[in-house]
Amino acid sequence: MVAIFEFNRKRCFSLEEARELLPLVKRITDEAVLQVERLKNHIEEIDPAPSQRSYYEQELETIVEKWTQKITKLGCEPKGPWLVNFDNGEGYYCWNHSEDDVEFFNAYNMETGAPR
């Protein structure tokens, strides 16, 4: 089983470890996506005045930031809303909220150390 209690520590994942952690990543992501959808629906229903829009924009940013913090605490790397990378030391296994499994791998760019 994946050691999920080593919070805030950058980790290297095997594909098996990434897939073991994926149900937790999915649950965290599903909760954040649901919160964003509810807030967007609420905004559409009430059509807030321009003076109130910044409040709702901040609420959306807060949801995404909390999601980012939770994913980072697991040792993963959030790369955008609902996109998670699992570093394996040679590149990243990638997962997006719409996917059922970790299906993609991006190798590091050897010149910069960044994914290609």
Side-chain angles (χ1 to χ4, degrees):
M1 177 158 210
V2 176
I4 62 171
F5 297 105
E6 298 177 23
F7 292 126
N8 292 322
R9 180 175 162 236
K10 187 171 176 166
R11 296 182 45 194
C12 283
F13 293 87
S14 68
L15 181 56
E16 180 180 304
E17 291 170 329
R19 286 180 169 155
E20 286 178 2
L21 189 58
L22 189 57
L24 180 56
V25 170
K26 282 182 173 182
R27 188 167 56 246
I28 291 167
T29 304
D30 287 344
E31 290 171 6
V33 168
L34 183 61
Q35 290 175 345
V36 165
E37 288 173 358
R38 285 180 180 159
L39 186 55
K40 282 183 175 181
N41 289 338
H42 177 71
I43 292 168
E44 289 173 6
E45 287 175 9
I46 65 168
D47 191 23
S51 62
Q52 295 176 327
R53 288 188 191 270
S54 64
Y55 167 79
Y56 290 107
E57 289 170 358
Q58 182 60 44
E59 286 296 308
L60 289 169
E61 286 180 28
T62 298
I63 294 167
V64 174
E65 180 59 33
K66 286 181 181 180
W67 171 81
T68 298
Q69 291 171 358
K70 290 176 182 180
I71 296 300
T72 301
K73 284 182 179 183
L74 296 174
C76 304
E77 297 182 29
K79 292 298 180 181
W82 328 143
L83 176 62
V84 178
N85 282 355
F86 300 84
D87 192 344
N88 87 335
E90 295 177 9
Y92 298 99
Y93 298 113
C94 306
W95 175 79
N96 188 300
H97 178 258
S98 62
E99 299 166 348
D100 293 325
D101 196 4
V102 177
E103 298 176 4
F104 298 97
F105 179 80
N106 292 320
Y108 295 146
N109 180 327
M110 298 316 254
E111 294 176 15
T112 65
R116 293 183 207 179

